[in-house]
Amino acid sequence: GNSVTQMEGPVTLSEEAFLTINCTYTATGYPSLFWYVQYPGEGLQLLLKATKADDKGSNKGFEATYRKETTSFHLEKGSVQVSDSAVYFCALSDRSGATNKLIFGTGTLLAVQP
Amino acid sequence: ETGVTQTPRHLVMGMTNKKSLKCEQHLGHNAMYWYKQSAKKPLELMFVYNFKEQTENNSVPSRFSPECPNSSHLFLHLHTLQPEDSALYLCASSQDTGGFTDTQYFGPGTRLTVL
């Protein structure tokens, strides 16, 4: 079945460091791909998405490119801030049925230190 | 972000209690979802409603009973829960369930502890 694998955390970085959080997926067909972010004490918020191969989603300095050949959707940011500390979830849309379902990875905790 | 609200934010209950979680969306969406978020595990989809009709029940035990009286409100009735049911319960909504690029918008969750 469809699944998402993302790197184990926590990821600890200093402010202004470069961030990469790896995400790979297994899916039949052509899913849409998402990154959601969960700040402490809050629900999930959509960070960015890509709907087809080679699309690049971007928001708030974060980017991810839909790579069909490597079945990946890695999240990157050139210079992280303390305020980026959160849990990041990679997800794909499950197209195996009529219902729009999201399949999530386990989440990666990012801790940015001043 | 007040698009999707959930009450209560925290709930402690005994195994013999009956309680309900409430979710309300102010986005004009037609689909609503319940997820369970446990530590160290991926988010688990529990139920999906589209235009008030249940379209997905992901093998959820009958001690969890959802109710969707209209497209804006979703409830999760809890009865005879187990300690392993302790988790963060998240509600989400989307325009409907037919659009595979539709974004799901999440509420802040209810932190449930079963004693």
Side-chain angles (χ1 to χ4, degrees):
Chain A
N2 295 346
S3 66
V4 173
T5 302
Q6 57 182 110
M7 63 190 291
E8 293 279 334
V11 174
T12 303
L13 296 173
S14 298
E15 206 164 24
E16 299 184 3
F18 185 86
L19 168 70
T20 300
I21 299 179
N22 291 337
C23 172
T24 57
Y25 66 90
T26 301
T28 54
Y30 304 96
S32 294
L33 300 173
F34 304 80
W35 277 102
Y36 278 82
V37 59
Q38 186 176 29
Y39 298 102
E42 298 184 15
L44 276 69
Q45 300 175 26
L46 178 70
L47 181 59
L48 53 83
K49 70 179 183 183
T51 59
K52 60 183 187 296
D54 300 325
D55 266 4
K56 177 187 283 188
S58 61
N59 186 26
K60 299 181 182 179
F62 291 88
E63 293 183 339
T65 301
Y66 190 142
R67 300 287 188 198
K68 184 170 177 290
E69 64 277 11
T70 54
T71 62
S72 65
F73 193 55
H74 303 321
L75 182 68
E76 297 182 336
K77 185 175 185 182
S79 176
V80 293
Q81 306 299 312
V82 172
S83 57
D84 294 325
S85 298
V87 181
Y88 291 81
F89 293 90
C90 186
L92 64 80
S93 60
D94 186 337
R95 301 188 173 205
S96 59
T99 300
N100 176 19
K101 292 187 291 186
L102 291 179
I103 307 297
F104 286 88
T106 53
T108 301
L109 173 63
L110 170 65
V112 180
Q113 298 175 337
Chain B
E1 174 63 55
T2 58
V4 180
T5 58
Q6 291 185 241
T7 54
R9 294 293 307 274
H10 300 272
L11 178 62
V12 179
M13 59 186 290
M15 289 190 286
T16 58
N17 292 156
K18 289 184 181 181
K19 297 288 184 183
S20 295
L21 310 185
K22 178 182 176 182
C23 175
E24 183 173 2
Q25 58 94 2
H26 310 272
L27 301 170
H29 290 163
N30 297 303
M32 297 187 78
Y33 309 76
W34 278 118
Y35 288 89
K36 176 182 179 182
Q37 185 178 27
S38 305
K40 309 285 187 189
K41 294 175 68 175
L43 267 75
E44 301 172 53
L45 178 65
M46 300 174 72
F47 302 102
V48 181
Y49 279 81
N50 194 38
F51 292 92
K52 301 188 299 177
E53 298 296 321
Q54 188 180 118
T55 59
E56 188 90 15
N57 177 338
N58 202 21
S59 302
V60 180
S62 59
R63 57 186 184 270
F64 295 91
S65 174
E67 178 189 2
C68 189
N70 55 62
S71 292
S72 298
H73 294 86
L74 183 65
F75 295 88
L76 187 63
H77 304 299
L78 314 173
H79 175 54
T80 322
L81 295 192
Q82 304 298 312
E84 60 265 28
D85 297 322
S86 299
L88 182 68
Y89 289 84
L90 292 164
C91 174
S93 71
S94 67
Q95 186 58 46
D96 55 49
T97 61
F100 293 105
T101 62
D102 273 354
T103 299
Q104 291 185 21
Y105 295 84
F106 285 79
T110 295
R111 174 67 63 185
L112 173 67
T113 302
V114 181
L115 302 176

